[in-house]
Amino acid sequence: AQSVTQPDARVTVSEGASLQLRCKYSYSATPYLFWYVQYPRQGLQLLLKYYSGDPVVQGVNSFEAEFSKSNSSFHLQKASVHWSDSAVYFCALSMESNNRIFFGDGTQLVVKP
Amino acid sequence: NSKVIQTPRYLVKGQGQKAKMRCIPEKGHPVVFWYQQNKNNEFKFLINFQNQEVLQQIDMTEKRFSAECPSNSPCSLEIQSSEAGDSALYLCASSRNERLFFGHGTKLSVL
């Protein structure tokens, strides 16, 4: 069965510091992988997605993620966070195009000034 | 920026009442999803449509919800008899090329 695990419920970093939000997935083949961000009282916004090709994917707002088949991971990274990055981040996977998406439980990112 | 429009933004119902919410997907997106997000941020897939036809739905949706996505009209999701456990954020998303674009959601409170 497919699943997504985000082991960190909450991550706190200082503004300007680097960031890594962890995501592990479980699926027998290579899935479509996504990172979404949810700001308070809003829907989800897509940051980036991966299906094939270069394992390092660039997204919006200088986020990037690295796919690792050997580790079944898709960690999100950012070199220097800003206070406005404070939000909840969701890792997600889909098994095929237009199929339902499975979400992790989210990681609350708090950026301290 | 997403152009998925969900109404109403907030919905308050008593137990046993019907609760109906609507979604206008982004133009040109053939697939529409409904998700329920609870207060612990957990997502539950409810149903998805492709060109007005149901693709997948969970048991709960089939038994307790009424959903449709007619052409030239908003999609809708209606709980036939609301329960306290239905209190959540209901998110609609439309999809093209594997990318989901979400609306702001309808926050349902069942008193």
Side-chain angles (χ1 to χ4, degrees), chain B residues 1 5 17 20 37 98:
Chain B
N1 287 332
I5 309 296
Q17 288 186 316
K20 187 169 187 174
Q37 185 183 23
E98 300 89 43

Side-chain angles (χ1 to χ4, degrees), chain A residues 57-97:
Chain A
V57 183
Q58 305 295 323
V60 299
N61 295 338
S62 302
F63 282 96
E64 65 176 36
E66 183 167 3
F67 169 69
S68 171
K69 187 167 184 174
S70 59
N71 294 324
S72 297
S73 67
F74 189 56
H75 301 330
L76 183 70
Q77 296 164 102
K78 187 168 183 177
S80 176
V81 296
H82 186 263
W83 65 267
S84 60
D85 292 325
S86 296
V88 182
Y89 291 79
F90 293 92
C91 183
L93 76 79
S94 177
M95 295 173 287
E96 58 184 74
S97 179

